[in-house]
Amino acid sequence: MNHFINLKDISTKDLRKIIDDAKKRKKFRKKLSTLEVDKGSPLKGKILIQMFEKPSSRTRISFFLAIRQLGGGTLTLRSNELHLGQGGESISDTGKILSTYGDGFMLRTDSEKKMEDFKKYLSIPIINGLSPLSHPTQVLSDIFTVEEIKKKPISKLNICWIGDSNNVLNSLIAASVKFSFKLSIGCPKKFEPGKEVRNWVKKNNKKIFIYNDPKKAVSGADVIFSDKVISLNDKGNKKEKIYAFKNFKIDKKLTRFAKKDFIFLHCLPRGNEVSEDVFLSKNSHVWQQALNRVHVQKSILLYCFGKLR
Ligand code: CP
Ligand code: NVA
């Protein structure tokens, strides 16, 4: 059994194995319809309990499809429907109960501590479906999407992020170390990645490139990633933050600095950080990116259940 909480804690070998498995499975599904089960039904009889403390469209639907296509099922809960969410039951008791009824647990939470506490008390695998500091299932799937479209290992590409130093960027930074790709980040000075993340990169003898001029960050990029300026967990002054990002909008003028065949990716939901024409351009692959979450999460589930081929 394996947990999937943070890309930092998973070996490059295992991450690569997940991507390779997803590639094979996606290819085999070409003739299958949405709910048909993969050959061998590898997670037959298994149930993934998903719990959301925050809204989600893609993560909840893609995990539902992922486990169904492997022969299992899901139960989706909102934390406020549980005794835990009302403050009446401890994480240790809830963890024990989840482990009694379920085979795997996916959690979207506003607390890193809660994720760690659940890990401590569960005897089934836990998957991080987004926390304040990381969004590992999203980013591993995005690595898959980049390599699928560009037909090259990501280590051979210039990756750029324009946006806030949030959970998705933290996971992208972890991925840049694990998969050895060049990552250029464009954001206002005040919203640069924190010391802890930068030190972790240094400790791993890797580098990330941070620019306060979006043109410099985008220059020569094969891939431009972005995300909302205001995240679900944001507690700061939103107006001030949006103002600080006013020169970081991804529009046609800015993307001219990227390579001609650059691709644009965005985990969604989106805000005003990207212009409509870039978001809907032929360079944008956001729908394929969202679909690939199903394929990659299937292989993440198999990794967690100790059934990766
Ligand atoms: N990208 C992503 O995780 O979307 P949801 O918040 O809709 O799950
Ligand atoms: N950074 C965003 C990602 C949403 C999928 C958030 O945390 O709200």
Side-chain angles (χ1 to χ4, degrees):
M1 156 186 131
N2 294 299
H3 300 299
F4 194 90
I5 296 182
N6 197 319
L7 297 182
K8 282 191 205 168
D9 306 325
I10 304 168
S11 72
T12 305
K13 195 173 155 223
D14 283 340
L15 294 173
R16 184 47 79 188
K17 243 171 111 179
I18 293 170
I19 288 185
D20 289 347
D21 183 73
K23 220 179 273 178
K24 280 184 225 149
R25 283 185 185 279
K26 183 171 180 183
K27 206 168 132 202
F28 284 135
R29 280 206 70 83
K30 283 226 167 93
K31 287 193 191 119
L32 299 182
S33 52
T34 315
L35 286 182
E36 269 182 276
V37 176
D38 280 14
K39 207 171 133 210
S41 200
L43 293 188
K44 188 175 171 193
K46 302 282 186 199
I47 183 158
L48 175 75
I49 300 177
Q50 315 193 62
M51 189 171 90
F52 291 88
E53 293 188 322
K54 298 192 236 181
S56 165
S57 306
R58 283 142 288 265
T59 305
R60 65 191 298 164
I61 300 170
S62 56
F63 265 107
F64 167 83
L65 293 175
I67 192 144
R68 284 289 297 266
Q69 290 182 2
L70 294 168
T74 44
L75 173 68
T76 301
L77 305 167
R78 293 284 310 188
S79 56
N80 62 5
E81 295 162 353
L82 306 187
H83 291 288
L84 168 80
Q86 313 292 334
E89 190 157 30
S90 65
I91 291 188
S92 60
D93 286 359
T94 305
K96 179 89 185 139
I97 288 301
L98 292 171
S99 308
T100 303
Y101 293 133
D103 299 296
F105 182 50
M106 200 234 61
L107 176 65
R108 171 167 287 197
T109 180
D110 53 13
S111 153
E112 297 298 326
K113 186 175 181 314
K114 206 174 273 176
M115 188 72 69
E116 281 308 313
D117 285 350
F118 265 119
K119 179 183 157 194
K120 197 157 89 196
Y121 296 116
L122 287 166
S123 53
I124 55 176
I126 179 168
I127 298 174
N128 179 354
L130 185 147
S131 67
L133 294 182
S134 67
H135 197 3
T137 62
Q138 174 73 55
V139 168
L140 191 59
S141 168
D142 294 347
I143 305 300
F144 175 94
T145 302
V146 167
E147 294 190 341
E148 180 179 62
I149 296 168
K150 287 292 183 185
K151 298 183 174 46
K152 271 185 199 166
I154 195 161
S155 58
K156 294 205 169 14
L157 298 166
N158 287 332
I159 310 298
C160 165
W161 170 274
I162 300 290
D164 187 28
S165 295
N166 61 17
N167 42 11
V168 180
L169 177 60
N170 283 339
S171 290
L172 192 63
I173 292 173
S176 79
V177 169
K178 295 283 172 177
F179 292 97
S180 290
F181 58 82
K182 185 176 173 212
L183 178 60
S184 303
I185 297 161
C187 61
K189 181 104 197 117
K190 194 174 166 197
F191 297 98
E192 287 181 359
K195 257 201 188 131
E196 206 180 306
V197 183
R198 288 157 87 146
N199 286 342
W200 179 80
V201 173
K202 236 190 238 163
K203 212 178 82 200
N204 283 278
N205 300 314
K206 295 274 173 23
K207 242 180 132 173
I208 48 174
F209 300 84
I210 301 171
Y211 302 95
N212 302 133
D213 175 350
K215 294 194 252 354
K216 285 191 178 150
V218 164
S219 175
D222 294 290
V223 184
I224 303 174
F225 275 103
S226 193
D227 186 10
K228 273 178 101 154
V229 170
I230 306 295
S231 280
L232 289 165
N233 198 57
D234 244 306
K235 304 230 164 35
N237 184 326
K238 295 184 178 130
K239 258 194 180 158
E240 209 176 89
K241 191 168 179 187
I242 288 171
Y243 185 75
F245 273 91
K246 72 179 190 318
N247 296 328
F248 288 80
K249 184 156 184 149
I250 301 160
D251 53 19
K252 289 268 183 200
K253 237 164 63 197
L254 181 61
T255 59
R256 267 185 218 121
F257 291 87
K259 284 195 185 146
K260 224 177 156 189
D261 62 346
F262 84 93
I263 62 169
F264 174 76
L265 295 177
H266 191 302
C267 62
L268 296 167
R270 62 175 155 143
N272 288 326
E273 62 284 347
V274 54
S275 66
E276 190 78 359
D277 55 357
V278 170
F279 187 81
L280 298 175
S281 69
K282 66 175 187 354
N283 300 81
S284 172
H285 295 267
V286 292
W287 313 123
Q288 182 176 346
Q289 177 186 10
L291 173 69
N292 279 340
R293 294 200 56 196
V294 177
H295 297 291
V296 175
Q297 283 161 195
K298 285 166 72 179
S299 306
I300 291 173
L301 284 166
L302 291 169
Y303 164 76
C304 290
F305 283 94
K307 291 202 166 193
L308 203 60
R309 293 177 291 186

